[in-house]
Amino acid sequence: MGRTLPLLAIILTWAATPIGAQDALPAGAQDAPPADIAPVDLRADAVPPPEKAPEKPPDPLAMKMKWKNGPYFYTEDGLFTFQPGGRFQLDTIATAVPAGLRRNITGPSQFEDGVSVRRARFAADGTFAKTIDFKAEFDFANAFITQTTPQRASLATVPTELNLTFRQLPIIGNLRIGNQKQPISFEHMTSSKYLNFLERSTSFDAFAEGFNNGFVPGIQAFDNFLTDKRAYWALGVFKTTRSIFGFNVGRNEADLTGRLAYLPIYENKGEQLLHVGLGGSYRDLDDDQQRYRSRFSLRSSPSALSDLIADTGFLYGGREARLVPELAGVAGSFSFQAEYYTSWLSRTQMPVGSTLVPYGTTFYHGGYVEVHYFLTGEHREYDHERMAFTRVVPKNPIRWVGDTRGLGAWQLAARYGYLDLNDKGIVGGITHEFVLGLNWFLTPNAKLQANYVLTSREAADPAASGLLHGFGVRTAWDF
């Protein structure tokens, strides 16, 4: 009873207190959380962000793309690359040849005017693991004769470069296996994308092209040496072939070809340079046959149908040896190149009726010298991989819209060429060629070329001798 009375007094006192006074507690006393509970801020900007998902590691095989004279795909570490490419060349040709001479030149087109797709190639190249290069290129503008009377040609898609290259090998450096160019001749090693004229020299056509587009199956080792890659060597074994399809059958028929090149002068990244080189070849013949011939330096029809301005006809022989010394130079906007082609054919025999007439070892030769000058200040670029000229990059590519204007790069060029296919009574003809050229490089990937060609032809028959004139324009682009 004693404890009950104080508790009852407290209850009665609270009940007698006015209602408003019941809340008159110290400010914040009612809402104060227990000491062990932290206050919660419910403002939107105070909400903590959700936990981030763990970042995925970068994909080492993911490829990026940039423009490198065409679309170029590569992995971040540079181990793998891939680049599609192609080239297109359209020629428009006009000729002026006396009627009597026209009738006495070998070939079905007889120097008619015409338009011809000179090259239409598509390619893909790249690198595996930074040490294995691949290249696959096919030309869609070829023809082969399927009927001789009258001559008909069928369109042919043929391989040009179709090979693997193994890099950074011990001792030998690089090894290339597959269809490829033989390492001989400066103008041969210069890509058709970068030629100073519409066609290479008549001597190249007679001695290096060989009815195979300049590409043969084989294996070659090559590498640069000395400081700044100033020297180069290449040596390969190839299958002798006269086919554009990259194959041949026959016992032996092998070809050993090599090249040495050196830059005694190389300054300012090639603005001043002097190149000297020597290529050589020793080969078996395909089916014991050889034929030296050359076409006019403007072509209004597929190569298989082009007229021949010099031709020994088919000869029989043992083996052939070739030597091709080369010289080239750059001095600012001025450049030049020159080569001398020589060929010795052993145990030469010429068919006369049903009889093979022996001639022993016969000798044929030719050469050229050409000069070039940029009116717009560029210089001829040089490629150490091939030890030959490469792409021209205009200082001001052509532009006619926007704030920047450009006229591209303009280049003048001239060439003299000589070819002698006469020896020991075999008369293949002698030619002297003069070519004047104007090149307009619109961008690094597109150009227009114009050539005037004057050729003097000396044949056994006076009716087949005389002057050949021609004018050609090429529209070309590549990527």
Side-chain angles (χ1 to χ4, degrees):
M1 185 70 177
R3 293 181 179 179
T4 303
L5 289 176
L7 178 60
L8 181 60
I10 293 172
I11 294 173
L12 291 175
T13 302
W14 177 84
T17 303
I19 294 176
Q22 294 176 12
D23 298 329
L25 300 174
Q30 290 182 340
D31 300 328
D36 58 344
I37 299 178
V40 178
D41 190 347
L42 297 180
R43 291 175 298 175
D45 60 353
V47 176
E51 289 188 17
K52 292 184 179 180
E55 293 185 2
K56 294 182 179 180
D59 183 355
L61 296 182
M63 302 198 83
K64 297 183 177 182
M65 193 274 281
K66 66 179 179 180
W67 183 263
K68 188 178 178 181
N69 295 314
Y72 180 77
F73 300 88
Y74 62 98
T75 56
E76 191 70 37
D77 55 12
L79 285 177
F80 300 93
T81 68
F82 177 77
Q83 185 167 27
R87 71 191 73 176
F88 174 77
Q89 297 172 354
L90 177 66
D91 292 357
T92 303
I93 306 300
T95 60
V97 181
L101 176 56
R102 187 189 301 267
R103 289 192 296 267
N104 286 280
I105 292 179
T106 304
S109 62
Q110 294 191 336
F111 278 88
E112 297 292 344
D113 302 341
V115 176
S116 175
V117 177
R118 182 64 179 90
R119 294 178 180 90
R121 297 181 184 176
F122 290 94
D125 61 75
T127 302
F128 298 120
K130 200 178 281 188
T131 55
I132 303 177
D133 294 350
F134 69 89
K135 186 161 188 176
E137 182 181 70
F138 292 86
D139 195 344
F140 293 82
N142 287 271
F144 63 97
I145 296 174
T146 57
Q147 182 178 339
T148 57
T149 309
Q151 284 195 322
R152 303 290 183 188
S154 294
L155 184 65
T157 300
V158 301
T160 53
E161 292 205 62
L162 194 62
N163 52 65
L164 286 176
T165 302
F166 301 88
R167 304 283 184 180
Q168 303 177 30
L169 295 175
I171 301 175
I172 63 174
N174 307 289
L175 186 70
R176 180 168 295 149
I177 303 173
N179 214 52
Q180 57 189 290
K181 288 185 175 184
Q182 297 158 294
I184 190 169
S185 167
F186 187 90
E187 59 178 344
H188 185 32
M189 302 311 295
T190 301
S191 169
S192 61
K193 296 183 290 186
Y194 315 135
L195 297 179
N196 298 298
F197 301 92
L198 270 64
E199 301 296 338
R200 295 180 175 94
S201 70
T202 52
S203 294
F204 166 87
D205 209 29
F207 301 110
E209 192 272 344
F211 299 90
N212 53 34
N213 264 353
F215 300 90
V216 295
I219 178 171
Q220 72 163 307
F222 62 95
D223 202 7
N224 293 98
F225 61 100
L226 299 185
T227 306
D228 298 328
K229 298 182 177 181
R230 294 179 70 141
Y232 164 95
W233 68 271
L235 182 66
V237 178
F238 306 90
K239 185 68 172 177
T240 305
T241 176
R242 290 173 289 157
S243 168
I244 61 176
F245 295 99
F247 84 99
N248 189 30
V249 294
R251 189 179 300 276
N252 298 323
E253 299 184 356
D255 169 355
L256 179 66
T257 298
R259 180 175 180 237
L260 287 172
Y262 175 58
L263 294 170
I265 299 174
Y266 187 81
E267 300 175 359
N268 299 328
K269 297 182 179 180
E271 288 191 28
Q272 289 83 35
L273 70 83
L274 180 65
H275 164 109
V276 293
L278 176 66
S281 181
Y282 185 71
R283 63 186 66 186
D284 299 316
L285 303 184
D286 182 14
D287 296 330
D288 297 323
Q289 297 181 63
Q290 180 60 286
R291 183 182 184 181
Y292 301 99
R293 60 90 178 96
S294 185
R295 295 159 289 191
F296 191 53
S297 290
L298 299 171
R299 301 177 194 173
S300 58
S301 61
S303 295
L305 301 179
S306 296
D307 298 302
L308 303 180
I309 59 173
D311 182 20
T312 62
F314 281 103
L315 304 173
Y316 289 84
R319 289 184 173 88
E320 181 191 15
R322 297 179 183 174
L323 281 178
V324 185
E326 53 192 58
L327 182 68
V330 176
S333 295
F334 173 80
S335 59
F336 74 92
Q337 68 184 66
E339 295 185 88
Y340 179 55
Y341 292 81
T342 58
S343 177
W344 292 264
L345 181 62
S346 68
R347 302 198 303 274
T348 304
Q349 300 179 79
M350 184 174 183
V352 179
S354 59
T355 304
L356 291 177
V357 179
Y359 288 84
T361 297
T362 52
F363 174 71
Y364 308 98
H365 64 115
Y368 72 90
V369 59
E370 61 186 57
V371 294
H372 338 97
Y373 183 77
F374 280 103
L375 302 173
T376 46
E378 289 79 4
H379 73 273
R380 204 68 171 88
E381 300 286 346
Y382 187 84
D383 177 15
H384 291 264
E385 169 78 9
R386 292 181 179 268
M387 298 296 272
F389 289 144
T390 187
R391 185 183 304 277
V392 172
V393 179
K395 290 184 175 182
N396 296 294
I398 188 168
R399 295 187 185 93
W400 57 88
V401 296
D403 298 331
T404 305
R405 296 290 190 270
L407 295 177
W410 291 79
Q411 182 192 46
L412 297 175
R415 180 176 73 199
Y416 165 73
Y418 171 78
L419 177 63
D420 185 353
L421 299 184
N422 293 347
D423 191 37
K424 294 185 177 179
I426 297 175
V427 182
I430 297 175
T431 65
H432 299 266
E433 176 191 70
F434 302 88
V435 185
L436 296 177
L438 175 63
N439 300 318
W440 184 16
F441 299 90
L442 308 175
T443 72
N445 299 86
K447 63 181 177 180
L448 297 175
Q449 295 179 274
N451 283 185
Y452 167 71
V453 180
L454 170 64
T455 299
S456 170
R457 182 178 193 247
E458 300 175 19
D461 182 1
S465 301
L467 296 179
L468 313 171
H469 299 263
F471 180 78
V473 175
R474 171 171 294 171
T475 303
W477 59 269
D478 71 88
F479 64 94

